[in-house]
Amino acid sequence: MPDLNELTTDARLALKTAAANLEEEFAGTFGLETIELFLTTSFDQFAGRAKVRNFLPLLAERFARQRLTALAKVEGKGHDGVPIVLFLCVHNAGRSQMALGWFNQLAGDRAVAWSGGSEPGEEVNGAAVAAMAEVGIDITREYPKPWTDEIVQAADVVVTMGCGDACPFFPGKRYEDWELEDPAGQDVDAVRPIRDEIEQRVRALLAELDIPAA
């Protein structure tokens, strides 16, 4: 586990609670050693760039849960058959987060979407948050994160947006590359057209996957 002495009392408790939660959720699938390894490495992914360290255990728990779910599918230890789509860009702060928001809104529980970045930023782009809020989609709970091999391998479709050669490649997997303007540094007026284009691309992808859009 991370050095607990560097955390507040509340954060230490939250991290221990996270380990217990994951152990209960993945009982019979992964042992405590694997769960603590994934929680530790997930914690380390955010520790160097987190603005508020008290949020680290929560971010680590959420990311570890996603990674363990992906690993379970890759290893054939459990999957409900629901398609998984992974959206990747550079900072995981704008385009991929808007795509994630649209996908979750339109697909509901009929599919799963994840996102990641080759160079994750510190926070989600404020203009992207505001533009999505205008169409009733809240992405304020999302956070920039990297991708890992098990997450990419578990995805049925990998959608890339500007990460170029940094994007991971696994033979035999379905890839799509969406050429979209980067919203970084743009105001809400400039982000709206990007948001709307992403909506149309997500709707088209859902149609191809034979998933009814809400």
Side-chain angles (χ1 to χ4, degrees):
M1 299 287 284
D3 186 354
L4 300 182
N5 293 324
E6 295 182 357
L7 303 177
T8 65
T9 301
D10 287 346
R12 291 198 296 270
L13 178 60
L15 197 59
K16 291 181 179 179
T17 301
N21 290 341
L22 293 171
E23 184 180 14
E24 181 177 353
E25 289 178 37
F26 291 93
T29 304
F30 297 115
L32 181 59
E33 183 177 352
T34 298
I35 289 169
E36 289 190 340
L37 173 63
F38 273 58
L39 187 59
T40 297
T41 54
S42 296
F43 183 96
D44 290 341
Q45 292 280 3
F46 302 105
R49 53 191 173 86
K51 290 186 174 181
V52 183
R53 293 188 65 82
N54 281 353
F55 290 149
L56 284 173
L58 175 61
L59 296 181
E61 180 180 356
R62 289 176 61 186
F63 194 43
R65 179 178 291 108
Q66 179 177 310
R67 294 176 59 199
L68 289 165
T69 300
L71 184 62
K73 179 184 177 183
V74 171
E75 295 185 348
K77 293 181 178 180
H79 181 56
D80 55 12
V82 174
I84 297 174
V85 175
L86 176 62
F87 296 104
L88 302 178
C89 67
V90 179
H91 301 302
N92 190 214
R95 291 166 290 186
S96 56
Q97 293 289 1
M98 288 192 286
L100 178 69
W102 276 119
F103 195 95
N104 287 335
Q105 175 79 4
L106 297 171
D109 59 3
R110 295 177 292 279
V112 172
W114 295 331
S115 69
S118 57
E119 300 174 15
E122 291 186 350
E123 58 188 0
V124 176
N125 184 308
V129 171
M132 294 299 286
E134 290 179 345
V135 293
I137 300 176
D138 182 7
I139 61 172
T140 58
R141 293 186 68 253
E142 297 303 327
Y143 54 98
K145 52 195 170 298
W147 61 68
T148 60
D149 284 351
E150 67 273 356
I151 286 175
V152 181
Q153 289 177 299
D156 297 292
V157 182
V158 179
V159 178
T160 60
M161 309 176 194
C163 49
D165 292 341
C167 289
F169 179 78
F170 288 90
K173 187 165 295 296
R174 176 180 172 180
Y175 285 86
E176 290 192 12
D177 184 56
W178 293 359
E179 293 188 7
L180 297 162
E181 186 176 353
D182 189 349
Q186 308 265 30
D187 61 18
V188 176
D189 288 340
V191 172
R192 288 190 189 105
I194 305 172
R195 174 201 67 194
D196 295 342
E197 182 176 355
I198 290 173
E199 177 192 3
Q200 296 307 312
R201 289 177 179 268
V202 168
R203 287 184 180 276
L205 176 59
L206 289 171
E208 292 172 12
L209 295 174
D210 198 25
I211 298 171

